[in-house]
Amino acid sequence: MTKLLTFLGTGSYQESEVFIDDFRTKQKIFPLALVEFFKSQGKDLEVIFFLTRGAYETFQKEQVKEFCESRGISVKIVDISEDEKVADFVKKIIPRVQDGDEVILDVTHSFRMLPMMALIISLYLKELKQIQVKIIYGKYDRDIKTTRCTDITEMSETIDWIYGTKLFTNYGFATQLSELIKKQNEKYYKNNHKKNADRPTKLGILSDDLTKVSESIRLGSIQLIRNSLSKFFKDISDEKLKRDVSEFVPHFAPLFEKLVERYKAFHIENESLILNEEELKSEAELVKFYVQTGDYGMALRLAREYIKNVLLYKMGKHDEFLNISERESLPVKSNVLFDARNHFAHFGFNNLPVSPDKIRAALNDLIEKIENGNLDVFFNEFTPEKNLKAILTPLGTTQGALYTVLKNYNADLLVILTSEEGNKLVDEIVEKSEFRGEVRTIIIKDPFSGVTEIRDILSKAENYLENAREIIVNITGGTTFMTYIIERIRDRIRYGKSIKSVIAFDERPYDEQRKNPYVVGKILEIA
């Protein structure tokens, strides 16, 4: 429905010839000319008059209600005072407008601060209830006694630009600005059909570029960011685009240079991803951007990858930059940033909560280290003091599988999941295999279905393997349930570790294996 929100004053009105687009009529009161116009357009119209006590007398005297109702137009009256407060005006205007309404705000006969109040509230309604707001004013020429309807909706568009600027300045969102540029571009083509008319030619490109840059930053893909920024900076070097910004989107022109400078901080001219100091500097600036705009989730995700990239760079592994296996197995000492990243990367569906205060402090500490510019600080802080090689294995009531694993792989640490019965075999197997490392045993009371023991077992295994960077995971031996738990442990500790899963088997007859278990069998590496 079309809602005409309008006012009346207390003065006397003189008849004039009213022009609204190609429509003309004679009226003393401009809102009534609007009623005639919208009636001729076949609009489903409701007129809402905001009236003071004095204006209500004018309303009655000019028989405004009778005029509207005789034409089948519904009229509502809202009482206001001459010193109406904003909060009170909001309470009165909001219930009158519904989702999807087209709102025409006529400020011709309003007075004092009411036009400004009505304008601001209408813009609020535009966002709150997804309505279209058009603001008009009847400009009266006393000399020739004519009134021309003037569309002043552009005033509200300025506020849209202010909002878009605030979104970018405070939060780094450029999509609102992109949308406003797109609308401005479309308006020039829609309203100007002359063949040789001066119209923008590059605003559509700029709008698309800003959308892609903003989306890639919010999605958090370094490759998308590189590609979108490269296109953006290439396109804005075009003098025609700069001219279009200056001539056709003057609201955006003052912000344009600031936006360019902000993006330039983490832009690299070479689209290819190469691990060097320029790349690391760019990533550091992007971390700062995320923190400054309050996007802590994305800051955590990038901080983790940035630290890994620093370590890869200092270790000379430049070619392993995009190798997922190398990145996941890279030995990195865990801290608040890594724990928080793991928590939020899974949207909190785990038992690794970290307080927002600690996250902010850790990110600010990271930025301080970044600004000091010493990469050795990161290498020393995040490289583990120990780099142990470990074996993780189940053990049932036979010795052969574990013996074969220990004879095939050297390790500093052996972590065994076994039952009370299987634990009796550990010392003998260790002695026969001549294993010289540290041995840690985790006892499972019910090796067949001890579901309630899983959490405690996972915690112990994670603690024992904390400093292990290379792990051989044997999935042979013990019960099926024990193998399941070993796989759970492997999945839980896989980050920052190089993991290889193996199967040990003996091709000899079973009786022979029982009689002489200490024969080295075969190993099948499966991952």
Side-chain angles (χ1 to χ4, degrees):
M1 174 177 277
T2 300
K3 302 280 181 71
L4 173 61
L5 311 185
T6 189
F7 305 83
L8 279 182
T10 56
S12 60
Y13 294 103
Q14 303 298 317
E15 185 178 77
S16 69
E17 190 167 14
V18 181
F19 295 87
I20 307 171
D21 296 337
D22 296 330
F23 178 84
R24 67 166 63 184
T25 187
K26 287 189 175 182
Q27 274 291 353
K28 292 170 64 177
I29 297 175
F30 183 67
L32 298 186
L34 290 174
V35 167
E36 289 188 76
F37 170 71
F38 289 122
K39 180 69 176 176
S40 72
Q41 297 271 307
K43 293 276 190 181
D44 182 14
L45 182 68
E46 179 180 272
V47 186
I48 303 171
F49 281 91
F50 294 88
L51 304 174
T52 61
R53 184 173 298 176
Y56 184 69
E57 293 178 5
T58 303
F59 180 83
Q60 288 184 308
K61 177 183 174 183
E62 299 293 342
Q63 297 184 322
V64 172
K65 186 175 183 180
E66 290 79 1
F67 179 90
C68 293
E69 290 183 345
S70 68
R71 287 159 177 78
I73 305 299
S74 171
V75 176
K76 300 285 177 63
I77 297 171
V78 179
D79 295 328
I80 58 174
S81 67
E82 293 184 0
D83 300 311
E84 191 80 14
K85 293 181 179 179
V86 175
D88 294 332
F89 199 26
V90 168
K91 292 177 184 177
K92 292 174 180 178
I93 200 170
I94 284 181
R96 311 293 173 179
V97 179
Q98 308 304 319
D99 291 354
D101 281 347
E102 177 191 13
V103 173
I104 311 296
L105 175 61
D106 167 34
V107 296
T108 306
H109 298 314
S110 57
F111 55 93
R112 294 187 183 177
M113 79 291 288
L114 284 177
M116 182 60 69
M117 288 170 56
L119 170 63
I120 293 172
I121 293 167
S122 295
L123 293 171
Y124 173 65
L125 288 171
K126 177 182 174 183
E127 298 301 324
L128 179 67
K129 297 196 174 186
Q130 296 299 302
I131 61 174
Q132 296 296 317
V133 179
K134 186 175 183 179
I135 306 168
I136 57 176
Y137 174 74
K139 187 177 181 181
Y140 177 63
D141 188 324
R142 187 183 301 274
D143 294 334
I144 58 176
K145 291 185 171 53
T146 62
T147 302
R148 292 191 176 274
C149 181
T150 305
D151 187 339
I152 57 173
T153 308
E154 193 172 339
M155 292 173 58
S156 70
E157 292 174 358
T158 301
I159 297 178
D160 287 337
W161 283 99
I162 293 171
Y163 175 62
T165 300
K166 187 177 181 66
L167 279 180
F168 178 75
T169 303
N170 291 355
Y171 309 109
F173 297 130
T175 47
Q176 175 74 4
L177 293 171
S178 169
E179 192 62 29
L180 290 170
I181 293 169
K182 181 180 178 181
K183 287 180 180 178
Q184 195 77 351
N185 186 55
E186 290 172 347
K187 185 170 74 173
Y188 280 108
Y189 279 85
K190 182 179 179 181
N191 297 339
N192 199 335
H193 300 290
K194 294 179 182 179
K195 197 168 186 179
N196 298 319
D198 189 18
R199 294 182 292 196
T201 59
K202 301 293 182 179
L203 291 185
I205 293 172
L206 177 60
S207 175
D208 289 344
D209 285 351
L210 282 176
T211 296
K212 288 173 182 175
V213 170
S214 189
E215 286 178 348
S216 65
I217 290 172
R218 292 303 150 200
L219 285 169
S221 165
I222 196 68
Q223 298 188 50
L224 287 178
I225 291 170
R226 291 279 178 267
N227 294 339
S228 60
L229 279 178
S230 291
K231 186 174 186 306
F232 170 75
F233 279 100
K234 179 182 177 182
D235 289 339
I236 66 170
S237 66
D238 189 332
E239 291 300 322
K240 289 182 179 179
L241 187 146
K242 294 177 182 178
R243 174 256 184 187
D244 280 359
V245 169
S246 176
E247 290 291 324
F248 298 107
V249 280
H251 304 87
F252 179 64
L255 178 65
F256 186 49
E257 288 186 14
K258 290 184 178 180
L259 182 143
V260 169
E261 285 303 311
R262 197 162 197 184
Y263 284 157
K264 191 178 289 184
F266 47 86
H267 170 56
I268 294 178
E269 292 187 7
N270 187 351
E271 285 186 44
S272 302
L273 284 172
I274 302 171
L275 184 54
N276 53 28
E277 290 198 12
E278 184 183 25
E279 171 64 31
L280 293 174
K281 182 180 178 182
S282 167
E283 292 170 17
E285 289 297 328
L286 190 52
V287 171
K288 288 163 63 176
F289 174 87
Y290 283 131
V291 172
Q292 289 165 0
T293 56
D295 194 343
Y296 294 118
M298 205 60 75
L300 287 170
R301 292 176 179 88
L302 180 56
R304 174 183 183 266
E305 304 309 319
Y306 169 75
I307 291 167
K308 288 197 171 193
N309 289 340
V310 170
L311 299 187
L312 286 168
Y313 178 73
K314 297 297 292 183
M315 294 165 69
K317 295 185 176 183
H318 301 187
D319 295 338
E320 305 296 336
F321 185 34
L322 301 178
N323 186 323
I324 294 176
S325 298
E326 183 66 34
R327 296 185 73 84
E328 288 203 352
S329 63
L330 187 69
V332 182
K333 188 187 295 182
S334 184
N335 74 344
V336 171
L337 291 176
F338 280 69
D339 291 342
R341 178 267 173 196
N342 292 337
H343 180 69
F344 291 108
H346 299 283
F347 220 79
F349 289 102
N350 52 38
N351 292 315
L352 301 168
V354 180
S355 76
D357 289 341
K358 287 184 177 180
I359 292 170
R360 280 193 295 271
L363 286 170
N364 288 330
D365 181 62
L366 178 70
I367 289 173
E368 187 176 332
K369 289 184 174 69
I370 286 171
E371 291 177 341
N372 288 336
N374 187 355
L375 297 180
D376 289 332
V377 171
F378 289 98
F379 188 76
N380 295 333
E381 180 176 343
F382 291 99
T383 301
E385 296 175 4
K386 296 180 181 179
N387 260 321
L388 301 181
K389 183 175 181 179
I391 295 172
L392 171 65
T393 181
L395 173 62
T397 56
T398 59
Q399 304 94 320
L402 178 52
Y403 177 76
T404 294
V405 171
L406 294 179
K407 295 301 285 185
N408 274 274
Y409 297 100
N410 294 318
D412 306 297
L413 173 66
L414 173 62
V415 178
I416 303 171
L417 174 65
T418 189
S419 63
E420 293 282 2
E421 189 66 23
N423 190 42
K424 296 175 183 177
L425 302 174
V426 171
D427 290 343
E428 180 185 299
I429 297 171
V430 169
E431 181 182 348
K432 292 284 187 180
S433 63
E434 299 179 316
F435 179 75
R436 296 290 179 262
E438 181 182 2
V439 179
R440 293 283 189 171
T441 303
I442 302 173
I443 303 297
I444 181 169
K445 294 177 182 178
D446 181 355
F448 297 98
S449 58
V451 175
T452 58
E453 301 178 65
I454 291 177
R455 179 176 292 186
D456 184 54
I457 292 171
L458 292 177
S459 179
K460 286 180 179 178
E462 188 173 21
N463 183 51
Y464 291 154
L465 295 166
E466 181 180 5
N467 294 316
R469 299 305 156 202
E470 185 178 348
I471 304 174
I472 303 297
V473 179
N474 172 38
I475 56 174
T476 319
T479 64
T480 302
F481 183 66
M482 290 165 66
T483 302
Y484 163 75
I485 296 177
I486 290 293
E487 290 176 340
R488 285 281 302 274
I489 296 170
R490 178 191 61 195
D491 292 343
R492 182 158 175 167
I493 64 171
R494 71 184 188 276
Y495 294 111
K497 304 179 190 297
S498 174
I499 295 179
K500 183 183 293 182
S501 296
V502 301
I503 293 174
F505 61 97
D506 189 342
E507 294 179 327
R508 295 178 300 152
Y510 182 70
D511 289 343
E512 191 174 334
Q513 292 180 40
R514 295 287 294 180
K515 184 177 180 181
N516 184 12
Y518 294 109
V519 173
V520 179
K522 295 182 179 181
I523 292 289
L524 177 63
E525 296 183 351
I526 57 174

